[in-house]
Amino acid sequence: QVYMEESGGGSVRLGGSLRLSCEISRHTYTHYCLGWFRQAPGKEREGVAMMNDYGTTSVPDSVKGRFIISQDYTKKTLYLQMNNLKSEDTAMYYCAAHFREEGPCPLDDALERGPQFFYTWGQGTQVTVSS
């Protein structure tokens, strides 16, 4: 069974940067989609960055130019670099994965279905942006 664990969250000033990490234990799959999601109190969980096994990435307009998703496959670690942080970025951040036997993982499906497409999740790490 694959386990995912986030780290790197914390408190940061407006305009600051953070890099979140997600360790993916027992990840031996060749085909997968990986994503970062966030959820603020009283709001739905939303995707902020996704990528597939081809290296194709996607981020929504709300974070485009500020958030970058990447991975180190040898270290089984997914990253989210967050720059120029805004107060509206305050939320609990989760990493998630969809593993499959055949590839590539269809990123379009992941983008359309959002959280329902992913079935392995970490516990989350809190990011708080303050002035």
Side-chain angles (χ1 to χ4, degrees):
Q1 185 175 357
V2 175
Y3 293 93
M4 306 180 76
E5 182 174 8
E6 304 92 342
S7 62
S11 296
V12 63
R13 293 288 185 91
L14 281 170
S17 298
L18 279 176
R19 188 176 80 158
L20 305 183
S21 299
C22 174
E23 183 177 351
I24 310 172
S25 63
R26 305 180 186 176
H27 171 20
T28 60
Y29 290 86
T30 302
H31 303 297
Y32 51 85
C33 284
L34 302 173
W36 285 97
F37 293 79
R38 68 185 180 189
Q39 188 166 19
K43 295 188 176 181
E44 293 187 354
R45 190 168 296 190
E46 64 171 346
V48 294
M50 297 183 191
M51 68 180 300
N52 70 358
D53 45 311
Y54 268 22
T56 303
T57 63
S58 179
V59 295
D61 289 342
S62 59
V63 303
K64 191 165 292 183
R66 300 190 299 120
F67 287 15
I68 302 171
I69 185 172
S70 64
Q71 70 161 335
D72 185 330
Y73 187 80
T74 60
K75 294 182 179 180
K76 310 300 184 187
T77 303
L78 178 70
Y79 301 100
L80 181 67
Q81 178 66 43
M82 305 186 294
N83 301 317
N84 190 21
L85 284 161
K86 304 177 180 181
S87 57
E88 54 262 41
D89 295 321
T90 294
M92 185 71 78
Y93 284 71
Y94 302 88
C95 57
H98 172 115
F99 300 107
R100 57 198 293 127
E101 296 299 325
E102 298 181 352
C105 183
L107 196 58
D108 288 347
D109 287 356
L111 291 169
E112 181 175 348
R113 296 175 57 189
Q116 286 69 36
F117 186 77
F118 296 83
Y119 53 81
T120 301
W121 291 82
Q123 294 300 308
T125 185
Q126 177 69 35
V127 172
T128 302
V129 184
S130 60
S131 58

Short mmCIF file of all heavy atoms in Angstrom, two decimals, residues 67-94:
data_model
loop_
_atom_site.label_atom_id
_atom_site.label_comp_id
_atom_site.label_asym_id
_atom_site.label_seq_id
_atom_site.Cartn_x
_atom_site.Cartn_y
_atom_site.Cartn_z
N PHE A 67 2.99 29.03 -8.46
CA PHE A 67 3.15 27.66 -7.95
C PHE A 67 3.75 26.77 -9.03
O PHE A 67 3.36 26.84 -10.20
CB PHE A 67 1.80 27.08 -7.54
CG PHE A 67 1.22 27.65 -6.27
CD1 PHE A 67 1.70 28.83 -5.71
CD2 PHE A 67 0.17 26.98 -5.63
CE1 PHE A 67 1.16 29.34 -4.55
CE2 PHE A 67 -0.38 27.50 -4.46
CZ PHE A 67 0.11 28.67 -3.93
N ILE A 68 4.68 25.92 -8.61
CA ILE A 68 5.32 24.99 -9.53
C ILE A 68 5.32 23.60 -8.91
O ILE A 68 5.79 23.43 -7.78
CB ILE A 68 6.78 25.42 -9.82
CG1 ILE A 68 6.82 26.83 -10.43
CG2 ILE A 68 7.43 24.42 -10.78
CD1 ILE A 68 8.21 27.40 -10.54
N ILE A 69 4.82 22.63 -9.65
CA ILE A 69 4.83 21.25 -9.19
C ILE A 69 5.99 20.53 -9.86
O ILE A 69 6.27 20.74 -11.05
CB ILE A 69 3.49 20.55 -9.51
CG1 ILE A 69 3.46 19.13 -8.92
CG2 ILE A 69 3.21 20.52 -11.00
CD1 ILE A 69 2.09 18.45 -9.03
N SER A 70 6.65 19.66 -9.09
CA SER A 70 7.75 18.89 -9.64
C SER A 70 7.91 17.63 -8.81
O SER A 70 7.30 17.49 -7.75
CB SER A 70 9.05 19.69 -9.63
OG SER A 70 9.44 19.99 -8.31
N GLN A 71 8.70 16.71 -9.31
CA GLN A 71 8.94 15.50 -8.55
C GLN A 71 10.37 15.03 -8.74
O GLN A 71 11.02 15.34 -9.74
CB GLN A 71 7.97 14.39 -8.96
CG GLN A 71 8.22 13.82 -10.35
CD GLN A 71 7.58 12.45 -10.54
OE1 GLN A 71 7.36 11.70 -9.59
NE2 GLN A 71 7.29 12.13 -11.80
N ASP A 72 10.85 14.32 -7.75
CA ASP A 72 12.11 13.59 -7.85
C ASP A 72 11.73 12.12 -7.73
O ASP A 72 11.48 11.63 -6.63
CB ASP A 72 13.07 14.01 -6.74
CG ASP A 72 14.43 13.36 -6.88
OD1 ASP A 72 14.50 12.23 -7.41
OD2 ASP A 72 15.43 13.97 -6.46
N TYR A 73 11.67 11.43 -8.88
CA TYR A 73 11.18 10.05 -8.86
C TYR A 73 12.11 9.13 -8.08
O TYR A 73 11.67 8.23 -7.39
CB TYR A 73 11.02 9.53 -10.29
CG TYR A 73 10.35 8.17 -10.37
CD1 TYR A 73 8.97 8.05 -10.26
CD2 TYR A 73 11.11 7.01 -10.52
CE1 TYR A 73 8.36 6.80 -10.30
CE2 TYR A 73 10.50 5.78 -10.58
CZ TYR A 73 9.12 5.67 -10.47
OH TYR A 73 8.53 4.44 -10.51
N THR A 74 13.41 9.41 -8.14
CA THR A 74 14.35 8.54 -7.43
C THR A 74 14.18 8.66 -5.92
O THR A 74 14.41 7.72 -5.18
CB THR A 74 15.80 8.86 -7.82
OG1 THR A 74 16.08 10.22 -7.49
CG2 THR A 74 16.02 8.64 -9.30
N LYS A 75 13.77 9.86 -5.47
CA LYS A 75 13.55 10.07 -4.04
C LYS A 75 12.10 9.84 -3.65
O LYS A 75 11.76 9.98 -2.47
CB LYS A 75 13.96 11.51 -3.66
CG LYS A 75 15.44 11.79 -3.79
CD LYS A 75 15.76 13.21 -3.35
CE LYS A 75 17.24 13.49 -3.45
NZ LYS A 75 17.58 14.87 -3.02
N LYS A 76 11.28 9.49 -4.65
CA LYS A 76 9.85 9.26 -4.39
C LYS A 76 9.23 10.46 -3.68
O LYS A 76 8.48 10.32 -2.71
CB LYS A 76 9.65 8.00 -3.54
CG LYS A 76 10.38 6.78 -4.04
CD LYS A 76 9.96 6.39 -5.44
CE LYS A 76 10.65 5.09 -5.88
NZ LYS A 76 10.38 4.77 -7.30
N THR A 77 9.55 11.64 -4.14
CA THR A 77 9.07 12.84 -3.50
C THR A 77 8.47 13.79 -4.51
O THR A 77 9.04 14.03 -5.58
CB THR A 77 10.21 13.55 -2.74
OG1 THR A 77 10.78 12.64 -1.80
CG2 THR A 77 9.70 14.77 -2.00
N LEU A 78 7.32 14.33 -4.15
CA LEU A 78 6.62 15.34 -4.94
C LEU A 78 6.79 16.68 -4.24
O LEU A 78 6.76 16.74 -3.01
CB LEU A 78 5.13 14.98 -5.02
CG LEU A 78 4.21 15.93 -5.78
CD1 LEU A 78 4.50 15.88 -7.27
CD2 LEU A 78 2.76 15.56 -5.50
N TYR A 79 6.96 17.73 -5.02
CA TYR A 79 7.17 19.05 -4.46
C TYR A 79 6.13 20.06 -4.98
O TYR A 79 5.59 19.89 -6.07
CB TYR A 79 8.56 19.58 -4.83
CG TYR A 79 9.70 18.72 -4.37
CD1 TYR A 79 10.34 17.84 -5.25
CD2 TYR A 79 10.14 18.76 -3.05
CE1 TYR A 79 11.39 17.04 -4.83
CE2 TYR A 79 11.19 17.97 -2.63
CZ TYR A 79 11.80 17.11 -3.52
OH TYR A 79 12.84 16.32 -3.09
N LEU A 80 5.91 21.08 -4.17
CA LEU A 80 5.13 22.23 -4.61
C LEU A 80 5.87 23.48 -4.16
O LEU A 80 5.92 23.76 -2.96
CB LEU A 80 3.72 22.22 -4.04
CG LEU A 80 2.84 23.40 -4.50
CD1 LEU A 80 2.54 23.28 -6.00
CD2 LEU A 80 1.53 23.45 -3.70
N GLN A 81 6.46 24.17 -5.11
CA GLN A 81 7.13 25.44 -4.82
C GLN A 81 6.09 26.55 -4.93
O GLN A 81 5.45 26.71 -5.98
CB GLN A 81 8.26 25.68 -5.82
CG GLN A 81 8.98 27.01 -5.62
CD GLN A 81 9.74 27.08 -4.31
OE1 GLN A 81 10.41 26.14 -3.92
NE2 GLN A 81 9.65 28.21 -3.62
N MET A 82 5.94 27.30 -3.86
CA MET A 82 4.94 28.37 -3.81
C MET A 82 5.64 29.70 -3.60
O MET A 82 6.34 29.87 -2.58
CB MET A 82 3.93 28.12 -2.69
CG MET A 82 3.25 26.76 -2.79
SD MET A 82 1.94 26.55 -1.56
CE MET A 82 2.92 26.57 -0.05
N ASN A 83 5.48 30.60 -4.52
CA ASN A 83 6.13 31.90 -4.46
C ASN A 83 5.08 33.01 -4.42
O ASN A 83 3.92 32.80 -4.80
CB ASN A 83 7.04 32.10 -5.68
CG ASN A 83 8.11 31.05 -5.78
OD1 ASN A 83 8.73 30.69 -4.79
ND2 ASN A 83 8.36 30.56 -6.99
N ASN A 84 5.51 34.17 -3.97
CA ASN A 84 4.63 35.35 -3.92
C ASN A 84 3.29 34.99 -3.27
O ASN A 84 2.22 35.24 -3.84
CB ASN A 84 4.41 35.91 -5.32
CG ASN A 84 3.70 37.24 -5.32
OD1 ASN A 84 3.71 37.95 -4.31
ND2 ASN A 84 3.08 37.59 -6.45
N LEU A 85 3.36 34.43 -2.10
CA LEU A 85 2.17 33.93 -1.44
C LEU A 85 1.23 35.06 -1.05
O LEU A 85 1.66 36.14 -0.64
CB LEU A 85 2.54 33.09 -0.22
CG LEU A 85 3.05 31.69 -0.58
CD1 LEU A 85 3.84 31.08 0.57
CD2 LEU A 85 1.90 30.79 -0.98
N LYS A 86 -0.06 34.76 -1.17
CA LYS A 86 -1.12 35.71 -0.86
C LYS A 86 -1.95 35.19 0.30
O LYS A 86 -1.92 34.00 0.62
CB LYS A 86 -2.01 35.90 -2.09
CG LYS A 86 -1.25 36.34 -3.34
CD LYS A 86 -2.18 36.44 -4.54
CE LYS A 86 -1.43 36.89 -5.78
NZ LYS A 86 -2.32 37.01 -6.96
N SER A 87 -2.72 36.07 0.91
CA SER A 87 -3.54 35.66 2.05
C SER A 87 -4.53 34.57 1.65
O SER A 87 -4.83 33.67 2.45
CB SER A 87 -4.28 36.86 2.63
OG SER A 87 -5.08 37.49 1.65
N GLU A 88 -5.02 34.63 0.42
CA GLU A 88 -5.99 33.62 -0.04
C GLU A 88 -5.36 32.25 -0.27
O GLU A 88 -6.07 31.28 -0.55
CB GLU A 88 -6.70 34.09 -1.31
CG GLU A 88 -5.79 34.49 -2.43
CD GLU A 88 -5.60 36.00 -2.49
OE1 GLU A 88 -5.46 36.62 -1.41
OE2 GLU A 88 -5.58 36.54 -3.62
N ASP A 89 -4.03 32.16 -0.15
CA ASP A 89 -3.37 30.86 -0.25
C ASP A 89 -3.40 30.12 1.08
O ASP A 89 -2.98 28.95 1.15
CB ASP A 89 -1.92 31.03 -0.70
CG ASP A 89 -1.81 31.60 -2.09
OD1 ASP A 89 -2.61 31.22 -2.97
OD2 ASP A 89 -0.89 32.43 -2.32
N THR A 90 -3.85 30.76 2.13
CA THR A 90 -3.94 30.11 3.44
C THR A 90 -4.93 28.95 3.37
O THR A 90 -6.08 29.12 2.99
CB THR A 90 -4.39 31.11 4.51
OG1 THR A 90 -3.38 32.11 4.67
CG2 THR A 90 -4.64 30.42 5.84
N ALA A 91 -4.45 27.75 3.73
CA ALA A 91 -5.28 26.55 3.65
C ALA A 91 -4.48 25.35 4.14
O ALA A 91 -3.27 25.45 4.37
CB ALA A 91 -5.73 26.30 2.21
N MET A 92 -5.17 24.24 4.26
CA MET A 92 -4.50 22.95 4.46
C MET A 92 -4.18 22.42 3.07
O MET A 92 -5.06 22.37 2.20
CB MET A 92 -5.41 21.99 5.21
CG MET A 92 -4.75 20.67 5.57
SD MET A 92 -3.51 20.84 6.86
CE MET A 92 -4.59 20.94 8.30
N TYR A 93 -2.95 22.00 2.88
CA TYR A 93 -2.50 21.49 1.59
C TYR A 93 -2.30 19.99 1.65
O TYR A 93 -1.68 19.48 2.60
CB TYR A 93 -1.21 22.19 1.17
CG TYR A 93 -1.44 23.59 0.66
CD1 TYR A 93 -1.79 24.62 1.53
CD2 TYR A 93 -1.32 23.88 -0.70
CE1 TYR A 93 -2.03 25.90 1.05
CE2 TYR A 93 -1.54 25.16 -1.18
CZ TYR A 93 -1.90 26.17 -0.30
OH TYR A 93 -2.14 27.44 -0.77
N TYR A 94 -2.80 19.31 0.63
CA TYR A 94 -2.73 17.86 0.55
C TYR A 94 -2.07 17.42 -0.76
O TYR A 94 -2.32 18.02 -1.81
CB TYR A 94 -4.12 17.24 0.58
CG TYR A 94 -4.95 17.58 1.79
CD1 TYR A 94 -5.75 18.73 1.82
CD2 TYR A 94 -4.96 16.75 2.91
CE1 TYR A 94 -6.52 19.04 2.93
CE2 TYR A 94 -5.72 17.05 4.02
CZ TYR A 94 -6.50 18.20 4.02
OH TYR A 94 -7.27 18.49 5.12
#
